[in-house]
């Protein structure tokens, strides 16, 4: 399907790299973690990148790369969902807002409501009590994004903030998230409209290099 | 009945304020300052004219002022995991430039820790030694798992206290004054006795004093037992409570349910917890925490009796079986309708075993128990809404039990 | 690998996959003798062997925890929870006694809960080891404490004359473990196997273990198969020996763990003098324990120990594998990581929790770490 869209055939592919959680099971010439792939993709699109923030569904990664684009260090959230896309999903549901609308909605806020708990379950009950307290949906939405941004910025500080920052992954398309994160880190963040395929792009780039070297 | 202010509270506030001010001044004039854990026989320091300050108390105050999350975050940014006790994170947060509600503590010349509260303090105080490049003293207090302290454990504690005294001599450059120690321990024992009598009067049904009012008067027994000033506070409090009991003064106005609290409070929500409970006529009449200072020490044999007291009076360092007996007795003394246990993720030694405690109190004494998850200073680990719901549901169940059904408010 | 190694590994794997079956079998061979379980990381084994008994390390497994949740809160490490699950579901009923070293706040209180709930099944005792190792007071105290514990678990005082043999046996057990660790630095074997072999040292009778390891060490070692794995050091688990399934992630990521400080208690105490007052001698050895998070020692000593391991084994990086909810290890991590970073040694922190299907994320992190190392 994807091959058709791209107008290529399977046998025209010289070297395949699998990445992501299923990478070990895919038929490929080799597998590379999504961390290395996201880094390669981000550096390709924004060559000045030194820090990559990837907020995914289950986990969040902060990756530091050298000026040459090699991964130097990275940090991931622990097993709990706070600071991940999952947190946003749960909160959107608690707020009864579509997940795609949560970000734009948050930008309308002028009085963000604080979500202070670092536990998703507790955070959800905070959202519910803000709703019950009559707070505006936009203000709660902003609070939700600030909570994630706060959590992620802690992770960023663990590897050290180094400009430029680039966001990758699907959550990067959420303007509320970009705005909150940029505010939390007091620095602008690079964003590409195709952010969700940055990892795949990176995998392709690594495949090309590996193949050429071989 | 109109509200009667407590003279003792005014005395406590004045005493503690003057104490902290004088520590700051005298430190500037070269007097030695020690930082110590709370569950440490600090009588040995007071007897050597060393000012003693307690980072745990500062952290509790941070909690009460709502500074827990921001100080914790500073500590976490400095590399200390969220898995550690939030008292330690508050202290490190202040050392990393965070705001102290007290304007900070004067730097220590020596730090003292005793494992009677937890093993956390050893790691914490090693860090303090490194941070301040100061002397470090420690008393390892073996866990009392059988209910009785063994003779060799007692000797071990005494020998370590003697070691601490040698460190004090080196610090002050003076031979240690053992007569002065006897005097200080004698004063401490008098303070302990008044403290015990105040708690016993506080247990009167209905209660002449709220637990919050006792908590705000803890400063002297924790920090200054061994001084005449501490005795004066508790003698005053005792007289006031006698008078209140005599005239039938009920501190909470009404007591539909008498509840006891186990573990350190949520310092950041103490007021709101009490208010919420009282909205339903539920009153905190006692707290197990206060009983750590119900101790017996003997000026004739100070080191040995202090060692024994720290192995038998502090439930954090004792078996669950012992804790069950102690709290069971207390619930009967208070004629309590229920027990609220705070399962405090920052204080494992006082929290693990709570599930056994809950079962035992419910089964043996037929007293309902509520367990709430929380943290003593880090409000990010606590969901206010969840706590509120659980407390209200608990009171509803008490209501059905005690009054046969829900009452219209 | 040679046949002796295959035999060692097969026996160890079988014993740790079902330690209680081994205990039952040992007891049928040794009627009237006691099997005494112990919690990590260390209790002196000599008094158990002196009475002819079998010490059995309790390590739990990756079983889902359900029953234990009714006794201990979830803010305890996975080892404590999993062992409690096994104990409360009757898996340890074949033991005569269990010894707890109250080395952390969790073990103190969890041991107390076992005592409260399980003492009808087996004796629950505390080997109340001192937290500090400095000064004469700790040694004197420990000597008396060991006499007491020995009498309690054995039901009678063991005469001193039974000790030299038991002390020699445990000394040789330490030698076997150390010998194996040296051997494996030169013969890279999967980390999963290392974990299994070290773990079995606390379950198999010391004599049987030594015989198996000696065979491996005595065979002129065939040249090691070429290994492309990247040498690294693991630290942070001084009380734990993870389930081999979990350790396989290191091997799959292409990382070869050439040194570690897993389960340092027994390995980290030096040989005990065989002659003289046995209890005093054991106490003396304990007070010379290697630095680890659960003992009161200076930060610098632990840092030196780890840096030395990295240097000696030419490791390319270090993995901090720190158990979730283990306060002592998380405290130590702060300065240790600072020290490692200053030296620009690549490192990664993983919070460790057995079970919960955590291997997927562990694998990603380790593979990514391997990728960063291979770029250097």
């Amino acid at each position: 399907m994807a091959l058709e869209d791209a107008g290529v055939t399977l046998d025209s592919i010289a070297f395949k790299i699998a990445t992501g959680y299923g990478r070990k099971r895919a038929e490929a010439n080799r597998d590379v973690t999504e961390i290395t792939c996201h880094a390669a993709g981000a550096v390709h699109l924004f060559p000045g990148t030194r820090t990559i923030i990837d907020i995914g569904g289950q986990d969040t990664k902060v990756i530091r790369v050298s000026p040459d684009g090699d991964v130097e260090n990275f940090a991931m959230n622990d097993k709990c969902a706070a600071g991940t896309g999952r947190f946003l999903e749960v909160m959107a549901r608690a707020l009864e807002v579509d997940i795609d609308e949560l970000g734009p909605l948050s930008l309308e806020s002028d009085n963000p409501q604080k979500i202070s708990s670092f536990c998703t379950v507790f955070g959800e009950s905070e959202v519910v009590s803000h709703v019950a307290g009559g707070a505006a949906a936009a203000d709660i939405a902003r609070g939700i994004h600030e909570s994630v941004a706060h959590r992620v910025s802690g992770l960023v500080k663990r590897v050290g903030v180094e400009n430029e920052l680039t966001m990758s992954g699907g959550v990067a398309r959420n303007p509320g998230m970009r705005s909150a994160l940029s505010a939390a880190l007091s620095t602008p963040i690079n964003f590409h409209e195709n952010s969700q395929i940055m990892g795949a792009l990176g995998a392709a780039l690594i495949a090309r290099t590996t193949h050429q070297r071989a | 009945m109109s509200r009667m202010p407590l003279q003792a509270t005014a005395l406590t506030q004045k005493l503690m304020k003057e104490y902290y001010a004088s520590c700051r001044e005298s430190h500037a004039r070269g007097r030695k300052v020690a930082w110590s854990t709370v569950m440490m026989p600090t009588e040995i320091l007071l007897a050597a004219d060393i000012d003693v300050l307690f980072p745990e108390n500062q952290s509790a105050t941070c909690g009460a002022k709502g500074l827990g999350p921001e100080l914790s975050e500073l500590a976490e940014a400095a590399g200390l995991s969220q898995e550690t006790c939030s008292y330690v994170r508050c202290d490190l947060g202040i050392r990393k430039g965070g705001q102290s509600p007290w304007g900070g503590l004067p730097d220590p010349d020596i730090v003292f820790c005793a494992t009677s509260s937890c093993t956390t303090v050893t790691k914490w105080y090693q860090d303090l030694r490194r941070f301040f490049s100061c002397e470090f003293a420690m008393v390892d207090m073996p866990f009392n798992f059988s209910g009785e302290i063994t003779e060799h454990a007692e000797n071990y504690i005494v020998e370590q206290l003697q070691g601490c005294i040698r460190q004090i001599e080196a610090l002050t450059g003076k031979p240690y004054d053992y007569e002065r120690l006897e005097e200080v321990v004698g004063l401490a024992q008098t303070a302990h006795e008044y403290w015990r009598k105040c708690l016993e009067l506080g247990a009167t049904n209905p209660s002449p004093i709220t637990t919050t009012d006792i908590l705000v008067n803890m400063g002297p027994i924790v920090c200054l037992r061994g001084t005449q000033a501490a005795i004066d506070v508790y003698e005053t409090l005792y007289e006031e409570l006698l008078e209140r009991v005599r005239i039938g003064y009920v501190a909470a106005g009404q007591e539909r349910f008498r509840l006891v609290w186990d573990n350190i409070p949520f310092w950041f929500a103490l007021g709101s917890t009490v208010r919420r409970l009282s909205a339903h006529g539920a009153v905190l009449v006692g707290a197990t925490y206060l009983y750590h200072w119900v101790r017996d020490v003997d000026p004739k044999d100070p080191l040995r009796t202090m060692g024994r007291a720290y192995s038998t009076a502090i439930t954090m360092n004792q078996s669950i079986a012992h804790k069950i007996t102690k709290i069971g007795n207390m619930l009967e003394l208070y004629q309590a309708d229920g027990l609220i246990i705070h399962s405090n993720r920052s204080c494992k030694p006082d929290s693990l075993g709570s599930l056994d405690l809950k079962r035992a109190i419910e089964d043996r004494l037929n007293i309902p128990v509520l367990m709430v998850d929380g943290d003593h200073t880090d409000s990010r680990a606590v969901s206010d809404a969840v706590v509120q719901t659980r407390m209200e549901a608990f009171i509803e169940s008490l209501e059905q039990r005690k009054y046969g059904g829900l009452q219209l408010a | 690998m040679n046949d002796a190694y295959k035999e060692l590994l097969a026996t160890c794997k079988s014993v740790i996959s079902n330690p209680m079956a081994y205990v039952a079998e040992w007891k049928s061979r040794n009627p009237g003798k006691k099997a005494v379980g112990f919690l990590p990381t260390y209790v002196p084994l000599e008094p158990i062997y002196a009475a002819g008994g079998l010490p059995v390390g309790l390590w739990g497994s990756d079983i889902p925890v359900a029953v234990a949740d009714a006794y201990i809160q979830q803010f305890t490490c996975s080892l404590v929870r999993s062992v409690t699950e096994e104990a409360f579901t009757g898996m340890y009923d074949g033991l005569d006694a269990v010894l707890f070293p109250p080395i952390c706040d969790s073990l103190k209180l969890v041991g107390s809960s076992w005592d409260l709930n399980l003492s009808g099944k087996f004796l629950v005792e505390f080997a109340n080891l001192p937290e500090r190792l400095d000064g004469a007071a700790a040694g004197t105290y420990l000597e008396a404490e060991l006499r007491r514990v020995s009498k309690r678990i054995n039901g009678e005082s063991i005469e001193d004359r039974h000790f030299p043999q038991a002390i020699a046996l445990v000394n040789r057990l330490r030698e076997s473990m150390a010998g194996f660790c040296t051997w494996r630095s030169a013969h890279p074997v999967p980390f999963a196997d290392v974990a299994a072999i070290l773990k079995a040292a606390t379950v198999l009778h010391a004599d049987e273990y030594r015989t198996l390891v000696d065979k491996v060490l005595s065979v002129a070692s065939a040249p090691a198969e070429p290994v492309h794995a990247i040498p690294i050091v693991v630290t942070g688990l001084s009380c734990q020996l993870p389930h081999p399934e979990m350790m396989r992630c290191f091997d799959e990521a292409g990382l070869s763990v050439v040194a570690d400080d897993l389960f340092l208690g027994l390995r980290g105490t030096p040989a005990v003098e065989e002659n003289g007052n046995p209890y005093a001698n054991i106490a003396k050895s304990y007070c010379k324990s290697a630095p680890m998070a659960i003992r009161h020692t200076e930060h610098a000593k632990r840092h030196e120990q780890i840096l030395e391991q990295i240097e000696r084994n030419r490791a390319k990086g270090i993995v901090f594998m720190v158990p979730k909810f283990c306060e002592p290890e998380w405290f130590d991590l702060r300065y240790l990581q600072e020290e490692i970073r200053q030296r620009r040694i690549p490192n990664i922190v993983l919070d460790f929790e057995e079970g919960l299907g955590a291997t997927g994320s562990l694998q990603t992190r380790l593979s990514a770490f391997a990728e960063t190392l291979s770029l250097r």
Side-chain angles (χ1 to χ4, degrees), chain A residues 106-133:
Chain A
S106 75
L107 296 176
E108 294 165 20
S109 162
D110 50 14
N111 179 26
Q113 296 292 312
K114 202 169 158 54
I115 312 290
S116 56
S117 171
F118 52 60
C119 163
T120 307
V121 178
F122 287 178
E124 192 177 2
S125 70
E126 277 188 72
V127 167
V128 172
S129 64
H130 282 314
V131 172

Short mmCIF file of all heavy atoms in Angstrom, two decimals, chain A residues 106-133:
data_model
loop_
_atom_site.label_atom_id
_atom_site.label_comp_id
_atom_site.label_asym_id
_atom_site.label_seq_id
_atom_site.Cartn_x
_atom_site.Cartn_y
_atom_site.Cartn_z
N SER A 106 -6.63 24.72 23.61
CA SER A 106 -5.80 25.24 24.71
C SER A 106 -5.25 26.63 24.38
O SER A 106 -4.97 27.42 25.28
CB SER A 106 -4.66 24.28 25.01
OG SER A 106 -3.67 24.36 24.00
N LEU A 107 -5.10 26.93 23.07
CA LEU A 107 -4.52 28.21 22.68
C LEU A 107 -5.48 29.37 22.96
O LEU A 107 -5.09 30.53 22.96
CB LEU A 107 -4.12 28.19 21.20
CG LEU A 107 -3.02 27.18 20.87
CD1 LEU A 107 -2.75 27.15 19.37
CD2 LEU A 107 -1.73 27.49 21.62
N GLU A 108 -6.74 29.04 23.19
CA GLU A 108 -7.73 30.10 23.49
C GLU A 108 -7.72 30.50 24.96
O GLU A 108 -8.43 31.41 25.36
CB GLU A 108 -9.14 29.61 23.13
CG GLU A 108 -9.35 29.38 21.65
CD GLU A 108 -10.61 28.55 21.39
OE1 GLU A 108 -11.50 28.49 22.27
OE2 GLU A 108 -10.70 27.97 20.29
N SER A 109 -6.91 29.80 25.76
CA SER A 109 -6.96 30.03 27.21
C SER A 109 -6.29 31.33 27.62
O SER A 109 -5.25 31.72 27.08
CB SER A 109 -6.26 28.87 27.93
OG SER A 109 -5.94 29.24 29.24
N ASP A 110 -6.89 32.02 28.60
CA ASP A 110 -6.17 33.15 29.19
C ASP A 110 -5.97 32.95 30.70
O ASP A 110 -5.41 33.79 31.38
CB ASP A 110 -6.89 34.48 28.89
CG ASP A 110 -8.37 34.41 29.24
OD1 ASP A 110 -8.78 33.46 29.94
OD2 ASP A 110 -9.12 35.32 28.81
N ASN A 111 -6.44 31.83 31.22
CA ASN A 111 -6.31 31.59 32.65
C ASN A 111 -6.10 30.08 32.90
O ASN A 111 -6.99 29.39 33.34
CB ASN A 111 -7.58 32.09 33.37
CG ASN A 111 -7.53 31.85 34.87
OD1 ASN A 111 -6.44 31.77 35.44
ND2 ASN A 111 -8.69 31.68 35.48
N PRO A 112 -4.88 29.59 32.60
CA PRO A 112 -4.66 28.14 32.66
C PRO A 112 -4.95 27.58 34.06
O PRO A 112 -4.61 28.18 35.06
CB PRO A 112 -3.16 28.00 32.35
CG PRO A 112 -2.76 29.26 31.71
CD PRO A 112 -3.68 30.32 32.21
N GLN A 113 -5.59 26.40 34.09
CA GLN A 113 -5.87 25.71 35.35
C GLN A 113 -4.74 24.73 35.60
O GLN A 113 -4.39 23.95 34.73
CB GLN A 113 -7.20 24.95 35.26
CG GLN A 113 -8.40 25.84 35.08
CD GLN A 113 -8.66 26.69 36.31
OE1 GLN A 113 -8.69 26.20 37.43
NE2 GLN A 113 -8.85 27.99 36.10
N LYS A 114 -4.20 24.76 36.81
CA LYS A 114 -3.04 23.91 37.10
C LYS A 114 -3.44 22.45 37.33
O LYS A 114 -4.38 22.16 38.07
CB LYS A 114 -2.32 24.45 38.33
CG LYS A 114 -0.86 24.03 38.42
CD LYS A 114 -0.17 24.83 39.52
CE LYS A 114 1.09 24.15 40.05
NZ LYS A 114 2.09 23.77 39.09
N ILE A 115 -2.74 21.53 36.65
CA ILE A 115 -2.87 20.10 36.94
C ILE A 115 -1.56 19.73 37.61
O ILE A 115 -0.52 19.66 36.95
CB ILE A 115 -3.04 19.26 35.66
CG1 ILE A 115 -4.10 19.85 34.72
CG2 ILE A 115 -3.31 17.80 35.97
CD1 ILE A 115 -5.51 19.74 35.22
N SER A 116 -1.57 19.53 38.91
CA SER A 116 -0.28 19.40 39.59
C SER A 116 0.17 17.96 39.80
O SER A 116 1.34 17.68 39.96
CB SER A 116 -0.33 20.12 40.93
OG SER A 116 -1.40 19.61 41.70
N SER A 117 -0.76 17.03 39.79
CA SER A 117 -0.40 15.65 40.09
C SER A 117 0.48 15.06 39.01
O SER A 117 0.29 15.35 37.83
CB SER A 117 -1.66 14.82 40.23
OG SER A 117 -1.32 13.48 40.32
N PHE A 118 1.45 14.20 39.39
CA PHE A 118 2.24 13.55 38.36
C PHE A 118 1.72 12.16 38.01
O PHE A 118 2.36 11.42 37.30
CB PHE A 118 3.74 13.54 38.69
CG PHE A 118 4.12 13.00 40.04
CD1 PHE A 118 3.83 11.70 40.43
CD2 PHE A 118 4.81 13.82 40.93
CE1 PHE A 118 4.22 11.22 41.66
CE2 PHE A 118 5.21 13.34 42.17
CZ PHE A 118 4.91 12.04 42.54
N CYS A 119 0.58 11.83 38.52
CA CYS A 119 0.00 10.52 38.21
C CYS A 119 -1.19 10.72 37.26
O CYS A 119 -2.00 11.60 37.47
CB CYS A 119 -0.44 9.83 39.49
SG CYS A 119 -1.58 8.47 39.25
N THR A 120 -1.26 9.91 36.22
CA THR A 120 -2.32 10.08 35.22
C THR A 120 -3.71 9.91 35.83
O THR A 120 -4.62 10.67 35.54
CB THR A 120 -2.13 9.06 34.07
OG1 THR A 120 -0.80 9.19 33.60
CG2 THR A 120 -3.10 9.32 32.94
N VAL A 121 -3.81 8.91 36.69
CA VAL A 121 -5.12 8.64 37.29
C VAL A 121 -5.56 9.82 38.17
O VAL A 121 -6.69 10.29 38.10
CB VAL A 121 -5.06 7.33 38.11
CG1 VAL A 121 -6.40 7.06 38.77
CG2 VAL A 121 -4.66 6.16 37.23
N PHE A 122 -4.61 10.32 38.95
CA PHE A 122 -4.92 11.46 39.81
C PHE A 122 -5.18 12.71 38.96
O PHE A 122 -6.06 13.52 39.25
CB PHE A 122 -3.76 11.75 40.77
CG PHE A 122 -3.63 10.75 41.89
CD1 PHE A 122 -2.59 10.86 42.81
CD2 PHE A 122 -4.53 9.71 42.03
CE1 PHE A 122 -2.46 9.94 43.85
CE2 PHE A 122 -4.41 8.79 43.06
CZ PHE A 122 -3.36 8.91 43.97
N GLY A 123 -4.39 12.84 37.88
CA GLY A 123 -4.54 14.00 36.99
C GLY A 123 -5.95 14.03 36.41
O GLY A 123 -6.58 15.08 36.31
N GLU A 124 -6.44 12.85 36.06
CA GLU A 124 -7.77 12.74 35.50
C GLU A 124 -8.80 13.25 36.51
O GLU A 124 -9.72 14.00 36.16
CB GLU A 124 -8.04 11.28 35.13
CG GLU A 124 -9.26 11.09 34.28
CD GLU A 124 -9.44 9.62 33.87
OE1 GLU A 124 -8.62 8.78 34.29
OE2 GLU A 124 -10.40 9.34 33.14
N SER A 125 -8.61 12.88 37.76
CA SER A 125 -9.60 13.33 38.75
C SER A 125 -9.47 14.84 38.98
O SER A 125 -10.46 15.52 39.28
CB SER A 125 -9.50 12.54 40.05
OG SER A 125 -8.34 12.85 40.74
N GLU A 126 -8.26 15.37 38.78
CA GLU A 126 -8.13 16.83 38.88
C GLU A 126 -8.90 17.53 37.76
O GLU A 126 -9.56 18.54 37.98
CB GLU A 126 -6.65 17.24 38.79
CG GLU A 126 -5.90 17.13 40.10
CD GLU A 126 -4.51 17.74 40.00
OE1 GLU A 126 -4.40 18.97 39.94
OE2 GLU A 126 -3.53 16.97 39.95
N VAL A 127 -8.79 16.95 36.55
CA VAL A 127 -9.52 17.53 35.42
C VAL A 127 -11.02 17.49 35.71
O VAL A 127 -11.73 18.49 35.53
CB VAL A 127 -9.19 16.77 34.11
CG1 VAL A 127 -10.15 17.16 33.00
CG2 VAL A 127 -7.76 17.06 33.69
N VAL A 128 -11.46 16.34 36.18
CA VAL A 128 -12.89 16.20 36.46
C VAL A 128 -13.33 17.24 37.50
O VAL A 128 -14.38 17.88 37.37
CB VAL A 128 -13.22 14.77 36.93
CG1 VAL A 128 -14.65 14.67 37.41
CG2 VAL A 128 -12.97 13.78 35.80
N SER A 129 -12.47 17.46 38.51
CA SER A 129 -12.92 18.42 39.52
C SER A 129 -12.85 19.87 39.01
O SER A 129 -13.65 20.70 39.41
CB SER A 129 -12.20 18.24 40.85
OG SER A 129 -10.84 18.50 40.72
N HIS A 130 -11.91 20.15 38.08
CA HIS A 130 -11.92 21.49 37.45
C HIS A 130 -13.21 21.68 36.64
O HIS A 130 -13.82 22.75 36.67
CB HIS A 130 -10.73 21.67 36.52
CG HIS A 130 -9.43 21.97 37.23
ND1 HIS A 130 -9.35 22.91 38.24
CD2 HIS A 130 -8.19 21.46 37.08
CE1 HIS A 130 -8.09 22.96 38.68
NE2 HIS A 130 -7.37 22.09 38.00
N VAL A 131 -13.60 20.61 35.91
CA VAL A 131 -14.83 20.70 35.13
C VAL A 131 -16.02 20.95 36.06
O VAL A 131 -16.83 21.86 35.84
CB VAL A 131 -15.07 19.39 34.32
CG1 VAL A 131 -16.44 19.41 33.66
CG2 VAL A 131 -13.98 19.21 33.26
N ALA A 132 -16.04 20.16 37.14
CA ALA A 132 -17.14 20.31 38.10
C ALA A 132 -17.13 21.69 38.73
O ALA A 132 -18.17 22.24 39.09
CB ALA A 132 -17.03 19.23 39.17
N GLY A 133 -15.92 22.26 38.87
CA GLY A 133 -15.79 23.59 39.47
C GLY A 133 -16.16 24.71 38.50
O GLY A 133 -16.07 25.89 38.86
#
